[in-house]
Amino acid sequence: MKTNKSVIYWLLSGCVLLFIMVTVGGITRLTNSGLSMTDWHLINDTFPPLSEEKWVEAFEEYKKYPEYQLINKHKDFQLEDYKFIFFWEWFHRFIGRIIGVVFIIPFVYFLIKKKLDKETIKKCFVLLGMGAFQGFLGWFMVASGLKDMPDVSHFRLAIHLTFAFITFAYTLWVALDLIYPERKSPVLELQKIARIALAILIIQIIYGGFVAGLNAGLIHNHWPLMSDGQFFHESIKLEQSNLLLSFTEGKSGVQFIHRTFAYVVVGMIIFLFIKSRKFTLDKTQGSGIKTLLVFVFIQFILGVFTLLFHVPLWLGLAHQIMAFFLLTAMTFTLHRFSK
C-alpha cells in the first residue's frame, strides 16, 4: 500500500466526490430542482448568475419551459423560489466538473511520474470514459423534461442514477486492487453468491430510480401490505395494457416490484452470511460480511419508513445514501472473496 499511497488517496477521493454528487443529485430530485437549468454549457455554466439582471434573464428563460408553464406558473412562483431550485441543479453540475478536474489533473501527473502500472492505467481510462458518459447521461435525462412534459423520463433517471452507482463501485474496486495488492485463491462459492447478490442489488437500485422518477413512493403508503390490505394491489393491473408495462411504467407496478424485491435483496445477503459461516474467513472478509448484513437491515427499515411517511426529504435522502453504503459494503465484500 505504501508505494501506491498517493494513487489510492486519489481514487478514494474520487469515491467521496461521487458519493457527494449522488447525494446532491438526490436533493435535486427530491426538491424538484432538476429542470431549473434549461441548457448545458461546459464553461458558461460553471458559476451561477452573478448579477440580478442575469438572474432575471435566467428566470425568464426558465418560464418558457413546461415545468413553469404547467406547474409553477400556478403557484405564485417567484424569482427567489427559482434561485433555490437553480442552486441545487447548479451545485450538482458543479460537483461533476470538480470530479473531472480531480480525476484528470492527478491522472496526467501520475502518468508523467510513472506511478501507475499498465493495468491501473487501463482501468483509469475506463473510469475516464465512464465519467464522460455519466455527464452525457445527466443532460440526456434533463433534456427529456424540457419538451412536452415537466418530468424527466424515469428510464433515463434510473440509467443516470444506476450508472453513477456503478462508476463509484468500479472506482472503489480499482482502489481496492491497490490497497490489497496480494493475490490469493478466491473463495469460489462465496464469490458466486456475492456476484448474484450484487446483480440483485443493482436491479433494486434501478427500480429505486423508477420509483423516484414516477413519484411512486407517494402512493400505497402502507406496509407490509399495499393499500386496502392487498399484497398485489388491483391497481397494478389497471394502470397499463399488460403486466410488463405495469411493472416498468406504472406507479403501482413499479412500487410493487421495488418493495417486494427488497425481501430478495435481504434474503440473498442473509444467505451469503449463512454460507460464509462454513468457511474460515480472514478479518477483512468477516468484516465485509457483517457490515453488509447490518447495512441491508438498516436500508430495509429506512425503505419502510420512507414509504410510511410519504417520502419526506430527509428520509428519501437517507434511503438513497444508505443504498450507497450498501453498495460499498457489497463491492468490498465481493472484492475480498475474489482476490
Side-chain angles (χ1 to χ4, degrees), residues 2 118 313:
K2 291 181 179 178
K118 289 184 179 180
L313 174 61

Side-chain angles (χ1 to χ4, degrees), residues 3-243:
T3 55
N4 293 298
K5 189 177 288 186
S6 58
V7 178
I8 291 168
Y9 288 155
W10 166 58
L11 290 168
L12 291 179
S13 68
C15 289
V16 172
L17 285 170
L18 284 166
F19 166 73
I20 293 171
M21 188 172 185
V22 172
T23 301
V24 173
I27 298 173
T28 302
R29 173 177 53 78
L30 290 166
T31 56
N32 296 312
S33 303
L35 298 176
S36 58
M37 295 180 70
T38 57
D39 208 343
W40 188 88
H41 300 98
L42 184 60
I43 303 301
N44 293 359
D45 294 339
T46 302
F47 299 103
L50 299 177
S51 67
E52 196 67 12
E53 182 182 352
K54 290 293 182 181
W55 273 115
V56 171
E57 186 180 314
F59 188 34
E60 290 302 315
E61 185 65 23
Y62 170 74
K63 289 180 178 180
K64 300 175 184 178
Y65 289 87
E67 183 173 77
Y68 179 81
Q69 292 290 331
L70 299 177
I71 299 176
N72 288 333
K73 185 177 183 179
H74 309 289
K75 292 184 176 180
D76 191 32
F77 192 80
Q78 302 298 321
L79 180 59
E80 289 305 312
D81 302 308
Y82 176 68
K83 287 181 179 180
F84 174 78
I85 64 171
F86 185 99
F87 169 78
W88 287 112
E89 176 62 13
W90 166 80
F91 192 38
H92 185 54
R93 298 188 191 191
F94 181 73
I95 296 171
R97 289 177 169 87
I98 294 297
I99 290 173
V101 172
V102 167
F103 183 85
I104 293 171
I105 294 177
F107 179 49
V108 173
Y109 171 80
F110 291 138
L111 280 177
I112 294 172
K113 293 293 185 178
K114 301 187 186 300
K115 286 182 172 287
L116 305 173
D117 58 39
K118 289 184 179 180
E119 193 63 29
T120 304
I121 291 172
K122 289 178 184 177
K123 293 172 184 176
C124 287
F125 273 116
V126 171
L127 283 173
L128 185 62
M130 292 176 79
F133 187 59
Q134 179 66 0
F136 162 76
L137 286 176
W139 177 245
F140 183 63
M141 176 189 69
V142 170
S144 67
L146 297 175
K147 296 177 182 178
D148 302 313
M149 296 298 294
D151 287 302
V152 300
S153 162
H154 68 287
F155 291 112
R156 297 188 189 187
L157 186 150
I159 292 170
H160 182 53
L161 176 66
T162 306
F163 198 73
F165 274 80
I166 291 172
T167 302
F168 166 85
Y170 186 67
T171 307
L172 178 60
W173 190 277
V174 176
L176 290 172
D177 280 345
L178 297 177
I179 294 171
Y180 301 103
E182 76 285 353
R183 290 292 179 263
K184 58 185 179 181
S185 298
V187 187
L188 293 176
E189 185 176 353
L190 297 182
Q191 181 193 56
K192 182 179 179 181
I193 297 171
R195 283 176 175 172
I196 296 171
L198 177 61
I200 288 172
L201 178 58
I202 289 174
I203 292 171
Q204 182 70 337
I205 290 170
I206 291 170
Y207 263 89
F210 285 174
V211 169
L214 292 170
N215 291 317
L218 300 177
I219 58 173
H220 304 301
N221 300 102
H222 307 274
W223 186 85
L225 301 175
M226 299 178 81
S227 300
D228 308 311
Q230 298 178 25
F231 172 72
F232 186 89
H233 197 265
E234 57 191 357
S235 60
I236 296 171
K237 293 181 180 179
L238 302 174
E239 285 179 316
Q240 301 291 335
S241 57
N242 59 64
L243 279 180

Side-chain angles (χ1 to χ4, degrees), residues 260-274:
T260 306
F261 210 66
Y263 294 105
V264 180
V265 175
V266 173
M268 197 68 200
I269 291 175
I270 291 175
F271 179 64
L272 177 61
F273 173 76
I274 292 171

